[in-house]
Amino acid sequence: GESVGLHLPTLSVQEGDNSIINCAYSNSASDYFIWYKQESGKGPQFIIDIRSNMDKRQGQRVTVLLNKTVKHLSLQIAATQPGDSAVYFCADIYTGANSKLTFGKGITLSVRP
Amino acid sequence: KAGVTQTPRYLIKTRGQQVTLSCSPISGHRSVSWYQQTPGQGLQFLFEYFSETQRNKGNFPGRFSGRQFSNSRSEMNVSTLELGDSALYLCASSFASGGYEQYFGPGTRLTVT
């Protein structure tokens, strides 16, 4: 598989516990924030997004929190399962001229059975 | 609906050679973005094509180039390969230019020896 997890911080959680993955961003003009999950041998997969005028958004077992004051984004995963083991990336984008996704470094989530 | 496909999946080249990678977007998507992923630098934006025109470019040398065809398929080319070009090259498609809802392919793993 792809060794995308090298040099990345790792979060280890017990199966069934809740996970919190944190991310900082730098562009105060960004208007969308996205979390991606990347499993070994695959490309990043969209999990959930949040618009800059919101501070919380919930999906299925996942919640994203946005704190624009400190430029901080977090992903909460409820009842973490072995299938959640992957590398997680946050990304932000300003959807104006020359818009592009800017990715964070990524965090490896490891779920202990 | 078929996802984003990339060919080849794995490639081994020698320093100084050139390489062409191919990406077929999701049907109906007209934007294709390319990213380089390495353990040290993470995911970095290379360029975006929309309707056969390059809309945005990242901070990579001119050895990296791309193009898009009328059917939205895209190719990227790297000339005069260097050892540091070894990486996973990902393409992502979206409906609109600069869109934040990007869908990634599995990537092409390029190894330069």
Side-chain angles (χ1 to χ4, degrees):
Chain A
E2 317 301 349
S3 55
V4 296
L6 290 178
H7 312 304
L8 297 177
T10 299
L11 174 66
S12 181
V13 300
Q14 191 72 38
E15 181 179 355
D17 286 352
N18 295 334
S19 303
I20 299 177
I21 302 171
N22 296 303
C23 173
Y25 65 93
S26 59
N27 187 1
S28 57
S30 291
D31 49 6
Y32 281 95
F33 303 86
I34 308 103
W35 280 99
Y36 283 91
K37 172 186 179 183
Q38 187 173 24
E39 298 172 286
S40 182
K42 298 182 180 179
Q45 177 187 3
F46 176 93
I47 301 174
I48 190 169
D49 63 67
I50 187 169
R51 194 167 180 170
S52 60
N53 62 354
M54 301 170 67
D55 52 23
K56 180 178 180 179
R57 189 173 184 210
Q58 289 185 290
Q60 187 177 9
R61 275 202 313 119
V62 295
T63 300
V64 56
L65 299 177
L66 174 64
N67 185 330
K68 294 183 294 293
T69 303
V70 294
K71 297 180 186 174
H72 184 267
L73 192 66
S74 69
L75 177 71
Q76 300 178 358
I77 304 174
T80 311
Q81 303 168 359
D84 295 327
S85 293
V87 178
Y88 289 81
F89 295 93
C90 66
D92 62 280
I93 185 170
Y94 166 64
T95 56
N98 298 322
S99 65
K100 62 181 176 74
L101 281 172
T102 300
F103 284 85
K105 289 293 186 185
I107 295 172
T108 299
L109 176 64
S110 176
V111 181
R112 305 188 302 272
Chain B
K1 190 188 271 191
V4 177
T5 58
Q6 292 187 245
T7 57
R9 290 294 311 277
Y10 301 91
L11 206 51
I12 299 176
K13 289 287 187 179
T14 304
R15 261 185 311 176
Q17 289 185 314
Q18 73 165 10
V19 67
T20 300
L21 312 181
S22 180
C23 172
S24 292
I26 291 172
S27 178
H29 285 191
R30 296 165 61 192
S31 170
V32 173
S33 297
W34 288 90
Y35 297 84
Q36 181 195 65
Q37 186 175 32
T38 59
Q41 297 299 317
L43 273 153
Q44 292 188 291
F45 173 78
L46 280 156
F47 30 64
E48 183 208 359
Y49 285 86
F50 181 81
S51 293
E52 302 178 63
T53 302
Q54 187 180 89
R55 291 299 181 96
N56 199 358
K57 190 177 189 304
N59 190 25
F60 279 82
R63 298 184 299 107
F64 292 81
S65 63
R67 60 177 174 169
Q68 187 179 34
F69 302 94
S70 58
N71 61 357
S72 295
R73 189 177 70 85
S74 177
E75 291 180 344
M76 69 162 281
N77 184 276
V78 188
S79 62
T80 320
L81 284 165
E82 301 177 359
L83 295 179
D85 297 333
S86 294
L88 181 67
Y89 290 89
L90 293 156
C91 82
S93 76
S94 61
F95 181 75
S97 175
Y100 69 93
E101 286 193 54
Q102 297 190 17
Y103 298 86
F104 284 81
T108 294
R109 169 66 67 183
L110 172 65
T111 302
V112 183
T113 63

